Each structure stands twice: as C-alpha cells, then as structure tokens.
Amino acid sequence: MLTAVWKRFDGSNYIAQSARSSDGGLTWSIPASLSGTGRDASAPQLSVAPGGGPTAVWTRSDGSNQAVQASHSADGVVWRAPATLSATGQDAESPQIAAAPGGSFTAVWDRSDGTNNIAQASHSADGVTWGAPASLSAAGQDAGHPQIVAAADNSLTAVWSRYNGSHIVV
C-alpha cells in the first residue's frame, strides 16, 4: 500500500489531504481531507507503522497561533478526527513523525515558549491517543527543525538545531 499526504488550496484555505494506492501508484483513492476546513494547514508529514495504518501530522492555525495536529487511519482511506498535539498559546511548527516497528508513533516539532523556540515531542501507542507534549531542548536559546527516527528495537532518536549563544549546533 502507498499513502501520500499534501496540502491543497480549497479556494479559501489550505487543507491537509491524503490518498491511498493499492496498485503501486497506478490508481489512487479519492482524496480525504485530514485537517478540516476553515483554517490554513501546512507542512503535512506521514509515517506508517509496519503492518499498521498511517498517521499524519501537520500545522494548522487555531485562529491565533499555529498548532501541530495529527490524524490516524487504519486503512489509509478513512481518517480519524484531528487531535491537537501542541499546547495552545504560542506558535508550533516544523512537525515530523516516526513510526516504531512495534506500532507506536512519536511526533516532534518546535514551539515558542514566549521567548525562544524549543523542541517538543508527543508519543502515541496507537496513533490515536497522544500524550502531553514534552520539551526536548532546554529553555533559554532557540531550537528548531527537529527530526526523529525509530530504530528496529523501538528506540527513538531526535535531533534539532540550537543556537548556543555563539553558533548553531545540532
């Protein structure tokens, strides 16, 4: 199975969409809207757990700030209602997601703490129920562009860039 995600302009806003192919990309399902309508969505990313369905993350405006949202599909066609992963009150951006071989998902993003951007993460055992955001980087200096990967033993590694006062470091 192949699953693709993208953003599309619906005439008023950008929305995150997905489609699935079961024949190597020759034909695709009718696109499903993941993010709903009414506010712009951007930067959709996708990960699929071995033997399971896909989970997508993206950013979407809540009317005041950008928030990170996620949705899971058991079959790549029908998607659950979006869950907001990042805390409200400040902008969150640059979402990435990784699926571990055991079927869990972890999303990372950077979010303002009101002064600087910090790298944050949330974990889901099933792509549906997500834990509270956890800060990965320390407060005090900007962090951004987080990436995450899952290893065969289900361990996770996250990296991000950070300004240390003199240089940008990883």
Side-chain angles (χ1 to χ4, degrees):
M1 296 292 165
L2 301 173
T3 305
V5 295
W6 64 90
K7 73 175 186 178
R8 180 183 73 82
F9 189 67
D10 69 2
S12 299
N13 295 285
Y14 285 97
I15 56 175
Q17 289 192 307
S18 175
R20 184 184 125 201
S21 174
S22 59
D23 60 9
L26 295 175
T27 60
W28 291 86
S29 66
I30 295 171
S33 295
L34 308 182
S35 60
T37 60
R39 304 246 187 244
D40 281 336
S42 64
Q45 301 288 314
L46 179 75
S47 193
V48 180
T55 296
V57 294
W58 61 88
T59 58
R60 183 166 185 226
S61 173
D62 66 10
S64 299
N65 299 103
Q66 290 293 108
V68 173
Q69 292 188 318
S71 181
H72 177 75
S73 174
D75 61 6
V77 177
V78 178
W79 292 80
R80 293 184 160 269
T84 299
L85 307 185
S86 58
T88 60
Q90 299 290 337
D91 283 329
E93 55 191 22
S94 303
Q96 298 288 312
I97 188 164
S104 65
F105 294 88
T106 302
V108 295
W109 61 88
D110 61 72
R111 181 180 180 275
S112 175
D113 65 5
T115 304
N116 299 103
N117 281 355
I118 53 175
Q120 293 190 313
S122 181
H123 181 77
S124 174
D126 58 7
V128 177
T129 304
W130 292 86
S135 294
L136 303 178
S137 62
Q141 294 166 330
D142 280 325
H145 308 290
Q147 301 286 314
I148 189 162
V149 64
D153 66 357
N154 290 310
S155 64
L156 300 162
T157 300
V159 297
W160 56 90
S161 61
R162 181 173 172 88
Y163 182 70
N164 70 5
S166 300
H167 301 89
I168 295 175
V169 296
V170 175

